[in-house]
Amino acid sequence: MIQLCSNDDPPVSFTVPRKAVELSKTIKTMLEDLEGFDMEQTPIPLPNVDAPTLELIVKWVEQHQDDPPPVEKPRVEDDDSDDSDADDDQEPEVVIPEWDKKFLPTDDEQKNQLFKLLNAANYLEIKPLLDIGCKYVADKISGQTVEWVRDYLNMENDYTPEEEAKLKEEIAWAEGL
Amino acid sequence: METEVAIQAEIDRLRRALGDFSERIVCGQLTGKLPDNFLEQFSQLPDRPLEQVLRFLPTRQVPQMRRVSRKFNNVIRKGSKTMPKKERNGSVVFKSCNTGELSVELRDYDNKIVKTTLADDRVALSELFRFMRIGGRMYFGEGLSAADKVLDQLSKAWVTIRPETVIFAGDLSQTSRDSLRAFLEKVEPSVKWLHFQYANNIGNSLLSDDVIGAAGRLDGLMVMPMCLGSKLRDINIGDRTLLAMVDSDEVLLHFFVMGCSGITPAGIRAFAM
């Protein structure tokens, strides 16, 4: 068993089976690097994750610890020399499993909890959790207006009116896609 | 051997440092005080999840999302090269009626037209192709629509273009061999028909066997320069191009060239066989 500590003061700790915790690539790598130390006795502090979020993470990894590992596809970095021209530039379908649908904090007032969860999944490198969370967010904003998306994602419009007008003109062609 | 020992020593040192470090964190000595807005920042998604969200959105919505904020715009610009692309199979027509301006028309089979004008330095042409995979027909019409700066953008590795037919029908005075060859290499996997149809100002050494050869095996080639009232310029295409097409499997094969002095009666005989 491995102990994980939230960033709260005082920290809240969770005890998780090693197998479950290794769904996080970040922690898995760390445990491998620290081989030889008795990690069962050493709580791992997670400076970017608060207790409610960590609780969700722990729930998710425990539920999914026996899942077959996801197939990794090498990501093409944004570099002109890379030929991403191959026919594989279509995203594979991501389906949110039933259990996860109930698990994700999807009520509107829990929106920020969802974002915190995705932040943590990103930081801890839990790709399948990140995928289903992002898929959920994408379904949510799909077909919505720019203003709606801005509000939903807690983003501020930091364009000047002139810049926005110019941008609007530049992307007008996309209407016809 | 020596380096291996040195590397091993370095690894051991790092491991000790890391172990020491992690224990000190546990004792709470390194936690310190968090910046005030430390938790607030997590109500916004970082770049990687944002990019992932974009990959799941309908393609046509993605460019619109650039208006949300600068941050979102940057994520889209950075990630769009590898994002899922929308298939377009009608034709795409490039025209340059005014100097420094390029207009692009996307025509569907049902003749729906999307038109956009790209001013030189304001919008890069490749911007347009971030979200599209072009198939069908590419037509370089009026003006300097096939100038080097246009072809070079289209030849970028990550731009997906899969035309079956490429037609050059504009002014080729600012088209160089190198750019044309790079472009033809780029479309080589898909292109079957290559036409230089009423193209004008074809440079003396622009077209030759090896440039045309960059397009790979063709089912149709037409070289018909615009030559109203002027002497037809010699075009340096010879038997090699002609005979390369003999290998084509297509029955409906055409080869129509004007002013190509390199083609010999013997070549034509071999082609006709």
Side-chain angles (χ1 to χ4, degrees):
Chain A
M1 299 297 263
I2 302 287
Q3 285 180 62
L4 302 176
C5 285
S6 74
N7 66 8
D8 305 76
D9 190 21
V12 181
S13 79
F14 295 83
T15 307
V16 196
R18 177 158 182 156
K19 188 179 176 192
V21 112
E22 285 189 341
L23 285 176
S24 154
K25 240 185 173 175
T26 310
I27 298 180
K28 188 170 188 247
T29 312
M30 184 177 167
L31 290 176
E32 281 164 5
D33 285 347
L34 292 171
E35 224 177 78
F37 290 93
D38 186 4
M39 292 311 288
E40 307 260 319
Q41 303 304 319
T42 319
I44 301 174
L46 301 173
N48 290 351
V49 189
D50 65 9
T53 309
L54 188 53
E55 194 184 339
L56 285 171
I57 293 279
V58 168
K59 247 197 215 164
W60 192 89
V61 293
E62 284 182 339
Q63 171 69 22
H64 288 276
Q65 56 182 312
D66 295 318
D67 287 4
V71 190
E72 295 247 354
K73 198 178 82 177
R75 272 290 277 281
V76 186
E77 288 306 319
D78 58 323
D79 179 352
D80 274 6
S81 64
D82 273 319
D83 196 350
S84 60
D85 208 39
D87 280 312
D88 60 6
D89 52 9
Q90 299 299 316
E91 196 62 18
E93 194 74 14
V94 167
V95 181
I96 309 178
E98 280 307 313
W99 186 90
D100 298 71
K101 263 185 209 160
K102 292 201 191 83
F103 160 82
L104 285 175
T106 50
D107 290 344
D108 280 347
E109 62 268 30
Q110 286 181 307
K111 184 180 82 178
N112 287 348
Q113 182 58 66
L114 175 66
F115 295 157
K116 276 201 268 179
L117 178 66
L118 294 185
N119 260 293
N122 181 45
Y123 161 68
L124 293 171
E125 288 190 60
I126 311 176
K127 178 90 167 49
L129 175 57
L130 191 61
D131 275 351
I132 59 153
C134 290
K135 170 76 175 146
Y136 174 82
V137 174
D139 289 347
K140 190 95 182 158
I141 66 180
S142 169
Q144 301 286 359
T145 63
V146 171
E147 291 73 21
W148 192 95
V149 173
R150 202 178 272 149
D151 179 63
Y152 179 73
L153 294 177
N154 301 320
M155 285 183 170
E156 230 164 283
N157 181 6
D158 47 6
Y159 289 113
T160 63
E162 296 77 36
E163 281 174 327
E164 208 189 346
K166 198 178 124 192
L167 193 57
K168 209 170 165 176
E169 196 183 305
E170 277 178 23
I171 54 186
W173 57 269
E175 301 275 358
L177 266 177
Chain B
M1 193 60 207
E2 250 174 60
T3 40
E4 250 174 65
V5 173
I7 289 169
Q8 193 52 49
E10 181 64 10
I11 291 172
D12 288 342
R13 194 187 63 76
L14 282 172
R15 186 174 290 206
R16 272 194 305 275
L18 193 55
D20 181 42
F21 185 65
S22 87
E23 261 169 55
R24 271 162 58 208
I25 298 175
V26 177
C27 300
Q29 289 166 1
L30 278 178
T31 25
K33 218 173 129 39
L34 299 170
D36 285 345
N37 60 351
F38 190 70
L39 286 176
E40 273 161 40
Q41 64 173 304
F42 294 115
S43 61
Q44 285 208 350
L45 291 177
D47 291 4
R48 202 167 66 124
L50 267 187
E51 196 189 317
Q52 192 64 4
V53 166
L54 288 164
R55 301 178 80 86
F56 293 129
L57 276 184
T59 310
R60 60 168 298 176
Q61 196 183 348
V62 178
Q64 304 294 339
M65 291 296 111
R66 290 180 51 193
R67 277 173 53 208
V68 169
S69 72
R70 283 176 206 275
K71 179 186 156 94
F72 217 0
N73 188 19
N74 287 338
V75 172
I76 292 173
R77 291 178 57 93
K78 214 175 96 222
S80 56
K81 292 177 184 176
T82 57
M83 275 185 199
K85 293 180 175 55
K86 173 106 175 174
E87 195 92 35
R88 296 276 326 193
N89 278 319
S91 48
V92 50
V93 179
F94 298 87
K95 287 181 191 164
S96 178
C97 307
N98 303 314
T99 325
E101 237 179 42
L102 180 71
S103 84
V104 184
E105 292 172 19
L106 304 163
R107 298 174 197 229
D108 272 335
Y109 290 128
D110 54 11
N111 232 9
K112 196 176 120 201
I113 298 181
V114 184
K115 221 174 151 175
T116 181
T117 300
L118 309 175
D120 255 357
D121 42 358
R122 272 207 306 138
V123 189
L125 179 62
S126 43
E127 201 65 22
L128 188 64
F129 291 93
R130 281 174 189 272
F131 307 99
M132 274 186 273
R133 177 203 297 268
I134 299 287
R137 206 163 71 122
M138 286 182 99
Y139 186 95
F140 296 90
E142 250 171 278
L144 294 163
S145 57
D148 279 0
K149 59 183 174 197
V150 177
L151 293 185
D152 289 349
Q153 288 201 58
L154 292 171
S155 305
K156 279 186 185 162
W158 57 271
V159 176
T160 315
I161 44 175
R162 299 274 158 72
E164 284 202 330
T165 308
V166 176
I167 300 172
F168 292 93
D171 181 346
L172 297 181
S173 64
Q174 284 181 37
T175 307
S176 73
R177 274 172 69 86
D178 286 346
S179 293
L180 180 61
R181 191 192 331 225
F183 174 76
L184 292 177
E185 272 166 14
K186 169 91 181 173
V187 297
E188 184 268 327
S190 62
V191 72
K192 290 192 185 129
W193 294 279
L194 178 61
H195 291 189
F196 295 86
Q197 206 169 336
Y198 303 117
N200 53 48
N201 293 327
I202 297 180
N204 267 335
S205 57
L206 181 64
L207 299 181
S208 64
D209 284 334
D210 67 307
V211 171
I212 301 291
R217 179 178 292 182
L218 295 170
D219 291 340
L221 174 69
M222 184 191 283
V223 181
M224 204 166 76
M226 178 82 98
C227 54
L228 280 177
S230 64
K231 192 176 161 285
L232 188 58
R233 232 186 251 180
D234 186 33
I235 287 175
N236 200 14
I237 290 176
D239 288 347
R240 221 173 88 202
T241 301
L242 182 63
L243 293 175
M245 289 182 60
V246 177
D247 293 332
S248 168
D249 311 321
E250 278 298 307
V251 187
L252 279 170
L253 160 115
H254 66 257
F255 186 83
F256 185 97
V257 292
M258 284 167 77
C260 298
S261 61
I263 292 174
T264 63
I268 295 170
R269 252 197 307 279
F271 178 70
M273 297 277 279

